[in-house]
Amino acid sequence: MRFKNKVRWALLLSLVLLVTMVVGCGNKQDSEEVIKLGFLGAKTGDVANYGIPGEKGMKMAIDELNAQGGILGKKVEGIYEDNKGDSKEINLIAQKYITRDKVVAMVGDPCTGLTKVAADIAQKNQVVIFSAGATGAGVVEIGNYVFRNTMLDTVAVPVVVDWMLKDKHWKKAAIITSIDNGYSTALTPIFKEELKKQGATIVLEDTIKDKETDFSAQITKLKGANADVLVFTGYYTEAALIMKEAQKQGLNISLIGGDGLYGQDLAKLGGDAVEEKVILYCGFSTDQPSPETAKFLENYRKKYNEEPDMFSAQYYDAVMILAQAMEATGSSDPKVFKDELAKVKNYPGVSGQTSFRADREPIKSPVFLLTIKDGAFALVDKIPVKTE
Amino acid sequence: MDAFLMQYIDPYYLRILVLIGINIILALGLNITTGVTGQLSMGHAGFMSLGAYTSAILSLQFAAPFWAALLCGALVAAFFGFLIGIPTLRLEGDYLAMVTIGFAEIVRVFFLNFEPGGKAVGLSGIPQNTTFGIVLLLVIIVIFFNARLLKSRLGRSMYAIRENEIAAEACGVNITRIKVLAFTIGAFLGGLGGALYAHYMFFIRPQDFAFMQSIELLNMVILGGMGSIPGTILGAIILTIAPELLRIVAEYRLLFYGALLVLLMIFRPNGLLGDVRIYDLRKRWMNKEVGA
Amino acid sequence: MFLEQLLNGITLGSTYALIALGYTMVYGIIQLINFAHGEVYMIGAFVGLFLVAMGANIFLALLGAMLFCMLLGMTIERVAYRPLRGKSSRLSALISAIGVSIFLSTLMALLAQTNTRSYPEVISNRTFNLGSLELSVLQISILAVAAILMIGLQLMIQHTRLGKAMRASSQDLDASYLMGINVNRIISATFAIGSALAAAGGVMVGVYYHAVWPYMGMMAGLKAFAAAILGGIGSIPGAMVGGITLGVLEIMGVAYISPSYKDAIAFGILIIVLLIRPQGLFGKKIVKKV
């Protein structure tokens, strides 16, 4: 009897699951009336602090578009699923957006690897994907439906290294990589190559891991290395903690890094340990903003009562660039408007001026060098980049 | 076959089905080690990543045929399963669990530093040869062999070790051989699942095979019912679908998922189908038909 | 430099030890790997942060966090583990523990967002030299608090009635019950004490390393489990020694071998130790009977 109950129980459960699955996903909406955009990013899990601001930027862009009457007179609707920063999830979500929700484009993901998973599916189904954060190699090569809106490290790093050597005379660099961070692992070789090319010496190479809090051993080593500057290729949380530890151990050194360091938490976590000591490059500055950025800042602060970050700006821009391309071609068919996207030149976005090269790689100009002053990002220098 | 199916089934569901299939293969492997033989392994993702990376590198760098990449991935994982099986002779219970966790972490750190594997950036552009048809075929083969295995002398010896090691030894079961074998077979299936995963996802990176992945697989085995093939399959199905279904509660999804695990364990402490054997199931089914 | 690194290692290790104590105590009595323990540590750190932000003194905050987590630990035990006890295998309780762990970390992420938060500077950062060694007030305070808690625990276990009952229960739960010990209460007390220690660990990590975030429990829990196993799970001095050994091993691995292989080194040594001493450093060898 017990056994029969078990089997019955199991059958019942599977039935319930199946029914919920069919019913839960059965209600299809007519996709002709609205233009749908899918959000890619994590809202929970350990990379959620890159996805959540992105979602806010995207929502704001869509609200603004709808307030002006939508795209091509149709209402714009965003769909915001949470991918937890997990490959399996983004794989399913991308497919769901395309075949069930009938989106015309997906915006995201902040992470290069996950963007590739979604990009492969988007390319096969001929839907546009516009990443607002993927900086690593091999993304737009996946196909002609794949775009991104980020400052490329291969473009920015030569400019930054030149500045380091000429303006600051920092000749001896130490490099710290975050070993389990794809962004950092990809950025380090770019920095190393450029430093060598321009004649700097690398006195110490070391690694940390993301979300670790104890960097005492690395800093103790760094103290003995006698470096002029520390190049750190990871994210802002770890950068702040590294500087805290350096301060604790009485080491006075500047830290330089990429736009992965751009987050309000850098100043919040780092406190006076990062004041005018951390320098980062990015395509976005809230200090001396362009008119577009100033308007975005004002609206964002009003709407969310907090400071936007790079991801909110890039997601916002991505939606707006998509809207512009659809308006220009008069079509919301990805097959049509994708070609218009590739032609974008000098788009005055809130995250910097964006152009696409012939290979569809974005060029953002100028490169902003920022530091922390009085707990906020402050402009150090503004260096233009040639678009071709 | 996939193109044909896509006319009738939404590709989104097809993807879920493929994922369920891969998880069934992975969980059935772990079921042999942990569910049947009772050797707690909390590092199954380590075997999975060995299979995934081996097969992906073979496909990408050497343009190996798909079946060869699958087989090599599974064999490399099986070899490491054999190595990890050896400490089981001296260790047991949670000490063994710690060794398996340590093993999986070492494998992950290895791949984080492994240049041909792309380090933390991962490997992308892996040919997507894992289709629904292939997964379905492999799932059927794996279930069939699993069922035969558990019914055989070897399988019964495995159950005996789980129930009482000393008594089993006294009855003439060669504990050493069978424990190592249980790890090797489990790892083989882990590697096979990993290889399928790599050729399904297009992209792999070391963090896909972190500790949580091992735990997820262990959840499937225990939730379904330790040592039961139908149970493990059910566990794999439920835990693959649950996160997708729970999308309706948006950001509270994982809250519900966690609570679901606790509740299921409270109401079904021995798993959903604890120790229900596939052959019993068939027998019951037949009897019922005869009775009707 | 070696001495400095050693000190770094001992400081890190003492936080591992505090979490490992809770693991080992619970395990000693009900043989459960309490995966939610790392989450209790995380919540302890957040409660401490909240209290400090409200203007409380750091020691008050420490006490508050410990009290809160005592209640939390007891609640977890009551809700998620007790209903399973005696009805199922140890592994079902493990899944339940994993469920609690996922639940708590998600809950915290919803309540406090997923940003890393920092503790304000509550203890002076001043350093002074002791020979060639550079010590900070902060480091000394952390070590002192850890030492006081561990010695206090040891005294309690050895010399109070509750401690005696705990030791009895860890030897034989059923026999203790027959001797008139209220076993459920003892288990509850064990969870309370273990959770309080984890909370203390959380607050200390927050103060020392400045960073607190909702997903910090997982890795810390794993490390603490490793420390408890290394020392011999179930053994209280084992957890202390295991924690400190693991901390020192990690730091030395980073300093002298390679930081990229940090975890691999720590786990590799752990595996070797277990192969030589399968019961851990301080574990008792159990003679198996049919």
Side-chain angles (χ1 to χ4, degrees):
Chain A
M1 279 321 277
R2 244 179 77 74
F3 178 81
K4 263 191 189 157
N5 281 339
K6 269 184 196 170
V7 175
R8 231 174 259 158
W9 207 87
L11 282 176
L12 190 75
L13 195 84
S14 345
L15 200 74
V16 169
L17 279 173
L18 266 174
V19 168
T20 17
M21 211 169 137
V22 173
V23 172
C25 310
N27 46 348
K28 270 190 195 171
Q29 219 190 340
D30 195 3
S31 57
E32 288 306 305
E33 297 302 313
V34 289
I35 291 178
K36 290 187 184 174
L37 299 175
F39 161 83
L40 297 174
K43 295 199 272 180
T44 59
D46 45 8
V47 287
N49 34 353
Y50 316 117
I52 292 169
E55 185 193 13
K56 286 181 179 161
M58 181 166 166
K59 274 191 174 147
M60 197 170 115
I62 290 179
D63 286 350
E64 281 179 19
L65 283 172
N66 283 335
Q68 295 159 14
I71 304 175
L72 302 169
K74 291 181 199 164
K75 202 174 157 279
V76 188
E77 189 190 327
I79 308 168
Y80 307 91
E81 298 286 8
D82 162 34
N83 68 30
K84 247 168 66 187
D86 182 294
S87 309
K88 283 175 288 185
E89 299 246 344
I90 199 170
N91 175 295
L92 295 177
I93 288 171
Q95 189 72 60
K96 175 181 168 285
Y97 279 159
I98 293 169
T99 47
R100 297 214 62 83
D101 301 322
K102 316 267 187 227
V103 300
V104 298
M106 296 185 271
V107 184
D109 183 282
C111 157
T112 303
L114 296 185
T115 299
K116 287 181 190 173
V117 174
D120 175 60
I121 297 171
Q123 180 67 26
K124 285 189 179 129
N125 290 280
Q126 299 179 315
V127 167
V128 165
I129 177 167
F130 202 140
S131 174
T135 51
V139 175
V140 296
E141 286 86 337
I142 288 174
N144 56 352
Y145 285 85
V146 186
F147 295 85
R148 59 173 160 182
N149 176 29
T150 48
M151 172 164 280
L152 290 188
D153 297 316
T154 44
V155 175
V157 168
V159 178
V160 173
V161 171
D162 182 70
W163 178 86
M164 275 167 66
L165 293 172
K166 298 237 173 79
D167 283 37
K168 290 284 172 184
H169 307 289
W170 288 330
K171 302 260 186 251
K172 283 181 288 177
I175 295 192
I176 293 185
T177 312
S178 182
I179 188 79
D180 57 351
N181 177 329
Y183 164 75
S184 181
T185 322
L187 182 54
T188 295
I190 301 175
F191 255 112
K192 262 167 67 181
E193 198 179 310
E194 200 56 40
L195 282 168
K196 276 186 204 144
K197 211 163 94 190
Q198 302 201 19
T201 43
I202 297 167
V203 291
L204 176 76
E205 274 186 60
D206 215 338
T207 57
I208 59 153
K209 277 172 75 184
D210 267 14
K211 300 307 172 198
E212 267 184 349
T213 49
D214 174 55
F215 303 127
S216 53
Q218 285 92 340
I219 296 298
T220 306
K221 258 200 275 180
L222 184 64
K223 260 161 83 180
N226 198 20
D228 297 333
V229 62
L230 168 64
V231 175
F232 174 62
T233 55
Y235 286 154
Y236 50 82
T237 309
E238 286 72 27
L241 295 177
I242 286 174
M243 292 312 274
K244 274 265 182 198
E245 181 66 33
Q247 188 190 42
K248 209 192 285 173
Q249 296 200 18
L251 174 66
N252 188 9
I253 195 168
S254 289
L255 181 149
I256 199 160
D259 48 13
L261 300 185
Y262 196 105
Q264 299 303 325
D265 279 0
L266 180 65
K268 267 193 227 156
L269 276 174
D272 55 348
V274 298
E275 275 285 312
E276 297 193 52
K277 288 224 192 73
V278 173
I279 295 156
L280 62 98
Y281 65 79
C282 70
F284 172 68
S285 163
T286 52
D287 198 18
Q288 303 180 18
S290 66
E292 291 83 11
T293 314
K295 200 175 135 238
F296 168 74
L297 279 174
E298 194 194 321
N299 290 341
Y300 193 94
R301 285 175 188 145
K302 212 186 290 163
K303 191 170 164 103
Y304 298 113
N305 201 19
E306 63 179 36
E307 282 293 304
D309 74 358
M310 188 181 67
F311 290 113
S312 19
Q314 287 177 352
Y315 272 81
Y316 178 91
D317 274 347
V319 173
M320 289 305 188
I321 295 175
L322 283 169
Q324 193 193 27
M326 286 185 232
E327 291 286 359
T329 51
S331 163
S332 61
D333 183 357
K335 289 187 202 72
V336 180
F337 72 79
K338 69 156 200 305
D339 300 319
E340 184 65 27
L341 267 182
K343 289 183 205 144
V344 168
K345 284 275 177 294
N346 299 324
Y347 175 82
V350 301
S351 67
Q353 213 172 57
T354 305
S355 308
F356 289 108
R357 278 195 318 222
D359 57 1
R360 276 176 293 107
E361 287 286 27
I363 299 294
K364 299 194 106 173
S365 179
V367 175
F368 291 95
L369 287 174
L370 305 180
T371 187
I372 301 275
K373 218 177 250 174
D374 304 324
F377 284 105
L379 192 66
V380 177
D381 212 339
K382 211 176 345 181
I383 311 167
V385 183
K386 280 185 227 92
T387 9
E388 273 311 315
Chain B
M1 179 169 172
D2 282 51
F4 171 76
L5 276 173
M6 270 185 208
Q7 297 173 339
Y8 302 98
I9 307 177
D10 192 302
Y12 168 57
Y13 293 148
L14 213 56
R15 275 184 193 273
I16 295 180
L17 286 175
V18 171
L19 208 56
I20 288 176
I22 295 174
N23 279 337
I24 286 176
I25 294 176
L26 288 165
L28 280 176
L30 184 61
N31 183 42
I32 291 178
T33 320
T34 300
V36 179
T37 320
Q39 308 298 305
L40 182 55
S41 164
M42 296 169 90
H44 206 55
F47 300 123
M48 197 182 156
S49 73
L50 284 167
Y53 270 96
T54 308
S55 65
I57 290 172
L58 282 175
S59 288
L60 285 172
Q61 314 244 335
F62 303 97
F66 181 47
W67 61 267
L70 280 187
L71 194 66
C72 286
L75 284 176
V76 167
F79 173 70
F80 279 91
F82 172 75
L83 288 185
I84 285 298
I86 293 173
T88 58
L89 314 178
R90 279 178 66 83
L91 294 171
E92 57 185 38
D94 302 314
Y95 293 94
L96 179 63
M98 193 64 237
V99 170
T100 56
I101 294 176
F103 161 75
E105 280 294 304
I106 291 173
V107 170
R108 192 170 68 88
V109 172
F110 169 77
F111 283 119
L112 278 175
N113 291 284
F114 185 55
E115 201 73 56
K119 296 188 169 186
V121 179
L123 279 177
S124 61
I126 305 164
Q128 282 153 303
N129 294 321
T130 304
T131 58
F132 177 71
I134 288 174
V135 170
L136 184 67
L137 184 72
L138 283 173
V139 165
I140 291 171
I141 295 174
V142 167
I143 291 176
F144 177 75
F145 275 103
N146 248 284
R148 299 291 301 176
L149 174 77
L150 296 194
K151 219 194 162 211
S152 71
R153 188 187 164 83
L154 178 61
R156 291 185 192 280
S157 308
M158 286 173 169
Y159 280 116
I161 290 179
R162 182 186 77 179
E163 294 305 328
N164 192 324
E165 209 174 307
I166 295 175
E169 195 167 22
C171 294
V173 172
N174 183 346
I175 296 197
T176 310
R177 193 178 133 255
I178 290 178
K179 276 190 184 172
V180 172
L181 213 55
F183 261 95
T184 313
I185 300 173
F188 181 88
L189 292 180
L192 181 68
L196 286 170
Y197 174 85
H199 287 80
Y200 158 71
M201 284 303 292
F202 179 76
F203 164 76
I204 52 172
R205 56 177 175 173
Q207 77 179 75
D208 293 346
F209 311 104
F211 181 59
M212 243 0 246
Q213 175 67 38
S214 298
I215 291 297
E216 225 166 82
L217 293 171
L218 190 64
N219 281 348
M220 291 173 191
V221 172
I222 300 177
L223 186 85
M226 296 260 291
S228 153
I229 294 176
T232 305
I233 294 171
L234 189 66
I237 295 174
I238 292 176
L239 290 187
T240 315
I241 295 181
E244 288 302 307
L245 284 181
L246 286 174
R247 286 200 185 285
I248 26 174
V249 288
E251 67 258 46
Y252 303 104
R253 186 161 61 119
L254 288 177
L255 219 53
F256 277 83
Y257 183 81
L260 182 77
L261 286 183
V262 176
L263 289 177
L264 279 174
M265 278 353 279
I266 289 176
F267 290 110
R268 303 288 306 172
N270 291 313
L272 299 173
L273 296 174
D275 271 333
V276 172
R277 317 253 165 107
I278 207 160
Y279 277 86
D280 300 342
L281 211 60
R282 200 184 61 179
K283 230 183 274 168
R284 295 278 160 170
W285 195 259
M286 302 291 246
N287 283 350
K288 208 169 147 194
E289 290 221 319
V290 173
Chain C
M1 187 145 129
F2 175 77
L3 279 179
E4 258 173 64
Q5 297 286 27
L6 187 68
L7 192 67
N8 290 339
I10 293 174
T11 319
L12 177 67
S14 62
T15 62
Y16 287 163
L18 280 179
I19 319 172
L21 281 171
Y23 253 109
T24 248
M25 287 169 67
V26 167
Y27 188 91
I29 294 185
I30 52 173
Q31 280 79 48
L32 166 74
I33 308 174
N34 181 11
F35 257 101
H37 197 60
E39 261 49 65
V40 173
Y41 149 86
M42 175 271 293
I43 289 178
F46 267 100
V47 173
L49 177 64
F50 178 72
L51 290 175
V52 168
M54 297 273 286
N57 174 290
I58 180 64
F59 291 102
L60 271 178
L62 184 72
L63 269 179
M66 287 171 76
L67 272 176
F68 184 89
C69 286
M70 266 186 172
L71 294 177
L72 178 71
M74 282 155 72
T75 315
I76 293 172
E77 191 269 334
R78 187 70 193 80
V79 173
Y81 304 148
R82 196 179 295 179
L84 283 163
R85 203 177 301 144
K87 274 197 282 181
S88 64
S89 76
R90 268 169 2 94
L91 289 182
S92 306
L94 179 69
I95 299 295
S96 192
I98 291 166
V100 172
S101 161
I102 295 174
F103 182 88
L104 288 178
S105 59
T106 314
L107 185 68
M108 207 61 209
L110 288 171
L111 288 176
Q113 299 183 315
T114 51
N115 306 44
T116 306
R117 282 155 194 274
S118 92
Y119 265 71
E121 210 126 287
V122 281
I123 299 177
S124 149
N125 227 340
R126 207 155 41 85
T127 56
F128 51 89
N129 292 326
L130 202 80
S132 64
L133 191 63
E134 213 170 70
L135 268 170
S136 71
V137 181
L138 187 59
Q139 235 160 357
I140 295 172
S141 330
I142 299 281
L143 289 174
V145 172
I148 291 169
L149 287 173
M150 286 189 220
I151 292 169
L153 176 72
Q154 193 63 13
L155 288 177
M156 196 219 72
I157 298 268
Q158 293 301 333
H159 298 293
T160 62
R161 269 177 76 87
L162 178 65
K164 222 179 204 171
M166 279 177 164
R167 276 184 292 146
S169 308
S170 77
Q171 280 183 3
D172 192 325
L173 210 56
D174 297 332
S176 311
Y177 179 69
L178 293 175
M179 292 296 114
I181 294 172
N182 185 340
V183 174
N184 274 339
R185 221 163 65 208
I186 295 302
I187 294 174
S188 220
T190 310
F191 269 88
I193 295 169
S195 304
L197 291 174
V203 174
M204 281 161 52
V205 165
V207 171
Y208 187 66
Y209 297 114
H210 298 290
V212 176
W213 79 307
Y215 299 103
M216 69 198 263
M218 179 56 137
M219 206 52 200
L222 200 59
K223 291 274 172 65
F225 179 50
I229 289 275
L230 182 65
I233 197 155
S235 152
I236 287 175
M240 298 180 195
V241 176
I244 290 172
T245 313
L246 191 68
V248 172
L249 276 180
E250 279 194 353
I251 293 286
M252 290 301 164
V254 174
Y256 297 104
I257 310 177
S258 155
S260 318
Y261 289 98
K262 172 181 169 186
D263 292 335
I265 296 163
F267 281 117
I269 293 174
L270 181 72
I271 291 177
I272 294 167
V273 170
L274 287 181
L275 288 181
I276 299 166
R277 263 190 82 82
Q279 68 277 33
L281 295 173
F282 286 75
K284 279 188 234 85
K285 199 154 188 152
I286 302 158
V287 183
K288 273 193 299 180
K289 289 178 229 149
V290 180

